[in-house]
Amino acid sequence: MSDTRDLGLILDARIPIVVIESPDERRVLALLLQFAMQRALPFSEWSATRGLRRGELVGDGSADVALCDPNKALIHIGATPGPALYALCDIHPYLTNEPKTIRYIKDIALDYERLGNTLVLVSHALTIPQELGRLTATFNLRLPSDDELLAMLRKQAQEWARLHKGRKVTTDSKTLDKLIANLRGVTHSDAQILIRRAVFGDGVISDSDIPEINKLKFELLDTEGVLHYEYDTQSFANVAGLTNLKNWLRLRQHEFIKPEGGADRPKGLLLLGVQGSGKSLAAKSVAGLFGVPLLRLDFGTLYNKYFGETERNLRNSLRQAELMAPCVLWLDEIEKGIATGESDNATSKRVLATMLTWMAENKRQVFIVATSNDITELPPELVRKGRMDEIFFVDLPDIATRKDIFRIHLAKREMDPNGFDLDQLAEQSDGFTGAEIEEAIVSARYLSASNQAVVTTEDLLGAINRTYPMSVLRADSVQTLRAWAKDRTVPA
């Protein structure tokens, strides 16, 4: 087993303190027990509730509750000749509040040559005091491979069949591959929970299960950050126009979801456009096309909720995105988060530096979709080639696209598009964004409902004529943006 071999290399190196950060405590203790049995070493576990006890299958497993206090347990370990292996579970609170506990641990480590006792600190998160740093090594558990995930899935399917009189779990190879891809990045214990959720609901694993599994996966990670899980991803069937963007993404879809990855894996794109032009809908549709979860980074929350700790929480959020991989990371209105001004004591510059470093070093399947309304606020180092694969400009919709937008939103509200003069509506809504067309339909519905009448083409035309679109209200800024994008971006 790879974990046992790698852990053995660290323990055989005679390092007195080993740190293992993992929420999967049972798996860690099982690995330590397996190593101890291979080396014929005494193995004991300590916790604040059970005290010090011999590891299972080694002795009778009885605990010494008199040693629940960590200092008493460490005094006992320091007075007991070794060599022996001791797992200290959840000792992390005492590493910050109890100077004596730190000193007892250091004494045991410094006395390693005489005693030979190794301390393994096991917790979901550990911050090692500086005085113990040079005496410590860190070990990370391997996450389950695709083959292991598939084996776990088959085992759970067999269990479900046993409980349901031989009925088999039904799925298809495409959905199975998608489920395995979305289970990557979790521990063995969390994978068991997710697989049971997928299997034991109704014995059918379908595409409809994937979003729920991803949402639960996001909750199980439970890391500090300000990411939001977007449950409602979209299909590009609900997006009018954007033909170039759709074709560009389809060409890269397979390369992105390949588990082995490669040097040419797509990194992401920037969507620049007028407000209400459909950038957010397009971001949601990218996740829908790739069949992966969508995570949204809210820069407003990043700055306001964690004032003074912005960069640390950005790193935590990016780490969370890596754990959720494969996924789409949506940086909404990115110019609001990394505009390099001086009014925030250079926090934005540090946020930009953190983001650029992560974009350069990240090797996980995280596809960035950044949206922006104002390119002039973005620093040049972010928008250069190599950071993003491409910059697409989402322009005001042309007449054919406006016609499709009317068709989509009318059908969404259970109104037959064939009952309306779509050509006239598209012509009269020149200069409207998709959001403004949708709002005109909503306005016409409310007015017709108040008169207890059905919506007609004339009602929609009336709503259009009562609306002043962004292209009129902010004509100068819209024209400036379109002029800038004309020779610098790819039309979406």
Side-chain angles (χ1 to χ4, degrees), residues 298-318:
D298 185 344
F299 281 104
T301 305
L302 181 72
Y303 280 83
N304 295 333
K305 187 176 181 181
Y306 299 104
F307 182 75
E309 299 182 347
T310 303
E311 304 92 297
R312 181 178 69 84
N313 285 280
L314 175 60
R315 287 191 290 270
N316 287 336
S317 296
L318 296 174

Side-chain angles (χ1 to χ4, degrees), residues 433-454:
T433 64
E436 290 163 343
I437 289 174
E438 181 180 16
E439 188 55 38
I441 295 174
V442 172
S443 177
R445 285 192 68 201
Y446 277 122
L447 185 59
S448 298
S450 68
N451 297 325
Q452 297 183 340
V454 297

Side-chain angles (χ1 to χ4, degrees), residues 281-355:
L281 183 62
K284 294 180 179 181
S285 300
V286 173
L289 175 67
F290 288 169
V292 298
L294 175 65
L295 308 179
R296 178 171 61 88
L297 179 60
D298 185 344
F299 281 104
T301 305
L302 181 72
Y303 280 83
N304 295 333
K305 187 176 181 181
Y306 299 104
F307 182 75
E309 299 182 347
T310 303
E311 304 92 297
R312 181 178 69 84
N313 285 280
L314 175 60
R315 287 191 290 270
N316 287 336
S317 296
L318 296 174
R319 170 62 176 160
Q320 192 170 15
E322 292 177 6
L323 293 173
M324 282 294 293
C327 66
V328 170
L329 178 59
W330 174 19
L331 308 178
D332 193 21
E333 296 187 344
I334 190 173
E335 71 274 13
K336 293 183 178 179
I338 57 175
T340 52
E342 298 294 338
S343 60
D344 60 353
N345 297 319
T347 300
S348 295
K349 291 182 179 180
R350 294 194 296 272
V351 167
L352 173 62
T354 300
M355 180 64 72

Side-chain angles (χ1 to χ4, degrees), residues 439-476:
E439 188 55 38
I441 295 174
V442 172
S443 177
R445 285 192 68 201
Y446 277 122
L447 185 59
S448 298
S450 68
N451 297 325
Q452 297 183 340
V454 297
V455 180
T456 65
T457 298
E458 287 69 28
D459 295 328
L460 293 175
L461 290 173
I464 290 171
N465 292 330
R466 292 190 298 270
T467 302
Y468 292 93
M470 186 71 67
S471 60
V472 173
L473 293 175
R474 301 190 60 183
D476 291 342

Side-chain angles (χ1 to χ4, degrees), residues 68-112:
C68 287
D69 180 272
N71 292 342
K72 291 181 179 179
L74 290 168
I75 291 172
H76 174 80
I77 294 170
T80 304
L85 189 62
Y86 294 90
L88 308 180
C89 300
D90 288 339
I91 199 171
H92 58 277
Y94 305 98
L95 299 181
T96 55
N97 301 323
E98 295 289 342
K100 279 189 175 181
T101 302
I102 298 172
R103 185 64 221 188
Y104 283 134
I105 292 175
K106 186 174 182 180
D107 287 341
I108 294 170
L110 293 174
D111 210 14
Y112 182 82

